Each structure stands twice: as structure tokens, then as C-alpha cells.
Amino acid sequence: MKRLLLFCFHLCLLAVLHQPLSALDKDSLGVEIAFTSDTQQPMWVEALFLHSNQNTRATDMVFDHILSRKPKALYLLGDVVSLGYRNRTWGRIDHCVNNCRINGIEVHALLGNHDVMGRAQKGESRFQKRFPDHIRTGYVSVTDSVAIVMLNSNFGTLSKVDLAKQQAWYEATLATLDSAATIQSIIVTCHHPPYSNSKLVGSSKSVQQRFVPAFLQSTKSSLFITGHSHAFEHFKKKGKSFLIIGGGGGLNHPLNTSVTKLEDAAADYKPMFHYLIVKRTHNKLLVTSYFLKTDFSGFEKGYTFKTGSS
């Protein structure tokens, strides 16, 4: 039965992906896709150990600046709120997300550890009401012929059946997207980073084992974006980029600076608060991080690169 359902899903996906796309051979004409992560309000216990700096104000400013750019879509990569099961933690984010949607910006999200912390089922239920297109065992959203694969890296909250379902779906979906004429590029996302120099959360070996191999094998996948580490980090493996964009408002994480640290291509770019804009240029992606200035006077363009470029 599960194999039949998976087969039917991919038939539907193929039908959508192989529809004609009149602008496929053109540039994306300025279509922007925004990403941010870790927009949760800091918990008091975290503030005992980490430096706070007008974090909730910074989150509001991140959303406001994204709104001013009017991207086609915004993707929230987990830890949307501090405790997902508590309704009162959602007020500020509800306001920000609703503002985006009212102004024609699609908003999609995936689960982070804070969203399911404490009472996972209740937290997930509140999350699902706000992001009804979300599927806990993975889903795809397509913006401007860029397929964004949204995965659940909260492996401890998934049953063995769900883990197997997500893995089979993920690998089959990448294969389907690689063969789809209407898809120019694939971005894989989850909350926990496969690689990070964060002293608090570090690298996720489970993500390395479950999600990285298929990403590296995929012909159209070039960018893997996560959060969880409250920093901006950029790692390269086999010509592909792994980005961490945990600057949506959480407390900044200290990073490993010893000789054992992973080689970070963005070693000189460490803003406390930031978000990401991605633009498609044919089958490549122009990736730009915008950061909040330390005096909170506004945002500036920061780190930028194009996928496939050295």
C-alpha cells in the first residue's frame, strides 16, 4: 500500500513538473526567494549563558526588510518560535507571517527542535495550522523553476515507519526532480546542519548519513540550507554548498576557532542577524546574505556567491 501511494504521488508530481514553462530558457527576471531561520524569541535560560541583543526587535526587522523586497516566497527553516506548543509564543510570528501573506508573499516552513520541544504533538499541531502545506515526512515547493525540498531532521520525533517513508520519498523525489524539464535547480533544506562549527550544536551526523549522500548525487542540487546553529556558515563539499543561516533572531552561538574547526568559506562574515535571498540565473543560483548593521540602522548586502562558481 505504501509503495502504491508513493508511486501515485510521483505520477502527480511528474504531471505538474512536466507542464510547459514558457520562460524556462530565460533569466528569472528578478524573482527573489527568501530564506531565514531561528526566528524564535530567546528563552530566559538561554540568556543566562548567551549574549542577548534586542533579539525580538531584530526578528521584526528581518521580516520587515524581507517584506520590503517583496520576494515571491519566504521559507522558514525551523525554530520558528521558542516553544511551539505554547500559543502565546506565536503572536509576533503570526503577525509577521500574516503581513507577508497579505502582501502576496508565499510563506512555507519546516519544523525545528524548538517547534516540537516539550510537547511535540501539540507543538506540531499548532505549527500545522499555520503552515497547512507542510508535510512532516517531507514536501516540495517550487518557486521560479527552483524546487525547494523541505525535510524533517527532528528524527527523534519520527517513528521508524515515518523515517523510512521520508527517506524513500526524499531519494525518489530528487530523482524525479533531476529528470523534470521544468526544474532548473534544487535546494535541499532541513533544520539541523550536517556541518557546523557551533560549539553548542555542532554537526549532525544523522543528517550527514540520511540527507547528504542523495544531495551530492543529485545532478540539479547545488545548495543545502539549514539553521539551528545561530550563525552564518558556508561549507563546500564536492563543489556543492552547505549554508547555515541561523540569524533570524536567536541568541548568537560561539564558534569553534581551534585547529579542529571545519573550513568555513565565510570565515570573515559573521553578522549576528541576517537572512538570505536566492535568485535563479538560468540553471545557477545567485545567493546573497543581507545583514542587520550593529547599530540597528538597517540592512546591508553582505556575503554573496553563485552556485557552481569557485
Side-chain angles (χ1 to χ4, degrees):
M1 184 64 181
K2 284 186 286 187
R3 288 183 178 179
L4 178 61
L5 290 173
L6 191 63
F7 175 73
C8 291
F9 167 80
H10 281 287
L11 281 180
C12 295
L13 184 61
L14 280 168
V16 173
L17 295 177
H18 286 281
Q19 290 178 355
L21 183 65
S22 60
L24 185 62
D25 59 341
K26 299 180 181 179
D27 199 348
S28 57
L29 302 176
V31 173
E32 295 187 346
I33 310 170
F35 295 84
T36 189
S37 188
D38 299 270
T39 55
Q40 79 271 29
Q41 182 174 348
M43 300 172 69
W44 68 268
V45 68
E46 295 174 312
L48 293 177
F49 303 98
L50 298 174
H51 175 62
S52 62
N53 183 23
Q54 304 182 69
N55 294 73
T56 54
R57 180 188 175 194
T59 296
D60 290 342
M61 292 182 71
V62 166
F63 275 101
D64 286 346
H65 200 257
I66 290 172
L67 184 60
S68 73
R69 297 191 66 88
K70 299 193 183 308
K72 176 68 175 176
L74 167 62
Y75 293 87
L76 307 177
L77 304 187
D79 283 4
V80 180
V81 295
S82 57
L83 288 172
Y85 74 87
R86 287 187 177 172
N87 202 43
R88 68 173 182 264
T89 65
W90 284 95
R92 171 177 274 104
I93 295 300
D94 283 342
H95 174 74
C96 293
V97 168
N98 288 338
N99 269 350
C100 289
R101 286 173 171 159
I102 289 169
N103 284 276
I105 302 171
E106 300 172 15
V107 183
H108 310 277
L110 55 78
L111 290 164
N113 56 294
H114 276 273
D115 303 313
V116 295
M117 187 177 288
R119 300 178 185 177
Q121 188 172 355
K122 191 170 183 179
E124 197 168 321
S125 176
R126 294 197 186 280
F127 183 96
Q128 194 68 39
K129 287 179 181 178
R130 290 160 170 87
F131 307 103
D133 65 329
H134 168 264
I135 299 173
R136 69 193 307 264
T137 51
Y139 70 109
V140 176
S141 174
V142 178
T143 302
D144 186 39
S145 75
V146 179
I148 293 89
V149 179
M150 311 280 277
L151 298 168
N152 189 351
S153 55
N154 293 291
F155 303 121
T157 67
L158 296 172
S159 67
K160 289 183 178 180
V161 171
D162 283 340
L163 287 170
K165 179 181 178 181
Q166 176 168 248
Q167 194 67 32
W169 173 86
Y170 170 54
E171 293 174 4
T173 296
L174 285 186
T176 300
L177 294 171
D178 276 338
S179 66
T182 55
I183 297 300
Q184 290 286 281
S185 191
I186 302 169
I187 298 173
V188 175
T189 66
C190 66
H191 182 63
H192 300 80
Y195 311 104
S196 174
N197 283 318
S198 169
K199 289 183 178 181
L200 298 185
V201 299
S203 304
S204 170
K205 292 192 179 299
S206 294
V207 173
Q208 289 179 24
Q209 294 165 357
R210 293 179 180 274
F211 297 158
V212 171
F215 167 76
L216 292 177
Q217 292 170 10
S218 167
T219 57
K220 293 180 181 177
S221 296
S222 58
L223 189 58
F224 196 121
I225 314 176
T226 64
H228 196 46
S229 168
H230 298 177
F232 186 95
E233 300 179 84
H234 182 192
F235 304 103
K236 298 179 182 180
K237 304 287 182 181
K238 296 185 177 180
K240 301 191 178 189
S241 289
F242 295 81
L243 281 188
I244 299 172
I245 58 164
L251 300 173
N252 209 223
H253 283 187
L255 300 177
N256 179 15
T257 58
S258 72
V259 293
T260 62
K261 70 179 183 297
L262 300 173
E263 185 177 353
D264 182 356
D268 296 327
Y269 181 71
K270 300 300 170 199
M272 183 171 288
F273 305 113
H274 53 268
Y275 72 92
L276 202 68
I277 290 289
V278 175
K279 286 185 182 182
R280 180 180 66 83
T281 305
H282 302 295
N283 63 346
K284 293 187 181 297
L285 301 175
L286 177 63
V287 182
T288 305
S289 172
Y290 288 84
F291 69 95
L292 180 59
K293 291 187 281 188
T294 56
D295 62 0
F296 281 69
S297 61
F299 283 80
E300 287 188 356
K301 181 188 290 188
Y303 192 81
T304 186
F305 68 96
K306 185 178 288 188
T307 58
S309 302
S310 57

